[in-house]
């Protein structure tokens, strides 16, 4: 998929999910510094009105350092540089104790995103879940013997204000967009 097609699909998803109805209220963009979340941030920051301008006038980036890797603090430092260069504020939190499971890490992330959303008065938090994540979630749930509810996968919207505008795009689409735009990201050991 071309960068133009990714931008178009992204803008369509934002419209359908109501992100453009936030007015001047901040929108929080969750970012780990990895490919998926950097594409999301880049799209929000540089895809408004054909490129160069933000899609939304008030973007705040949220990054949680779980402390689960010895180099995790480097991600926050790198992301701080990117956010400074791109002119977007960044909120970082470092967990005092590293989570012991993926489930507790996920819970800590969503708790942090909610605290940032409240702190800045945002209506929404955007996460970078994409179609590969959706397929993986459905497959894992099916293998565990979930019912029909579990086979619905990751919802595009979740209370309180979580929105996933990349669910219609595959990881290959995001990688193609990153290559076409010269976007850089952090490669995590996980």
């Amino acid at each position: 998929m071309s960068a133009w097609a990714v931008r178009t699909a992204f803008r369509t998803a934002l419209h359908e999910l109501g992100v453009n109805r936030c007015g001047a209220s901040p929108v929080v963009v969750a970012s780990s510094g990895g490919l998926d979340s950097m594409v999301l941030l880049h799209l929000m920051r540089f895809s408004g009105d054909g490129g160069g301008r933000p899609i939304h006038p008030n973007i705040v980036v949220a990054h949680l350092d779980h402390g689960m890797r010895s180099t995790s603090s480097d991600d926050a430092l790198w992301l701080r540089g990117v956010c400074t260069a791109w002119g977007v504020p960044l909120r970082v939190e470092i967990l005092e104790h590293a989570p012991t499971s993926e489930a507790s890490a996920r819970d800590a992330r969503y708790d942090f995103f909610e605290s940032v959303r409240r702190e800045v008065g945002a209506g929404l938090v955007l996460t970078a879940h994409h179609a590969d994540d959706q397929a993986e979630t459905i497959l894992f749930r099916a293998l565990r013997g979930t019912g029909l509810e579990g086979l619905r996968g990751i919802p595009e919207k979740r209370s309180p204000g979580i929105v996933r505008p990349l669910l219609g795009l595959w990881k290959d689409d995001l990688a193609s967009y990153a290559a076409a735009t010269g976007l850089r990201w952090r490669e995590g050991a996980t």
Side-chain angles (χ1 to χ4, degrees):
M1 183 179 280
S2 71
W4 177 85
V6 168
R7 281 189 188 103
T8 301
F10 180 69
R11 283 193 210 110
T12 299
L14 290 180
H15 177 74
E16 290 172 356
L17 293 167
V19 175
N20 58 345
R21 293 188 291 275
C22 289
S25 170
V27 171
V28 175
V29 176
S31 183
S32 66
L35 170 66
D36 311 340
S37 62
M38 289 307 297
V39 168
L40 174 62
L41 178 55
H42 192 270
L43 285 164
M44 285 298 291
R45 175 59 185 88
F46 296 107
S47 294
D49 297 334
R53 285 184 278 168
I55 279 189
H56 190 276
N58 197 349
I59 300 166
V60 177
V61 178
H63 174 80
L64 181 65
D65 180 352
H66 298 95
M68 294 172 79
R69 294 179 288 112
S70 61
T71 60
S72 65
S73 62
D74 296 343
D75 297 340
L77 184 62
W78 179 82
L79 192 56
R80 187 172 306 284
V82 170
C83 289
T84 298
W86 291 1
V88 293
L90 171 67
R91 300 292 192 279
V92 174
E93 181 174 309
I94 302 168
L95 293 181
E96 189 173 326
H97 302 287
T100 56
S101 70
E102 284 301 316
S104 60
R106 182 182 56 246
D107 292 344
R109 275 193 305 277
Y110 282 107
D111 289 347
F112 170 64
F113 298 153
E114 176 60 11
S115 72
V116 173
R117 187 185 73 78
R118 287 182 181 178
E119 173 194 338
V120 301
L124 300 174
V125 174
L126 278 59
T127 69
H129 293 92
H130 48 76
D132 293 57
D133 296 323
Q134 184 72 286
E136 180 181 281
T137 297
I138 292 169
L139 176 63
F140 285 158
R141 288 178 181 175
L143 291 173
R144 282 195 318 244
T146 188
L148 288 177
E149 182 67 27
L151 293 177
R152 289 194 178 125
I154 304 169
E156 289 181 306
K157 288 183 171 183
R158 171 187 139 174
S159 184
I162 301 292
V163 177
R164 300 174 176 109
L166 300 181
L167 280 178
L169 297 167
W170 295 95
K171 185 145 189 136
D172 285 348
D173 299 329
L174 304 182
S176 294
Y177 175 86
T181 59
L183 182 62
R184 296 180 55 182
W185 64 90
R186 297 280 298 174
E187 289 287 349
T190 56

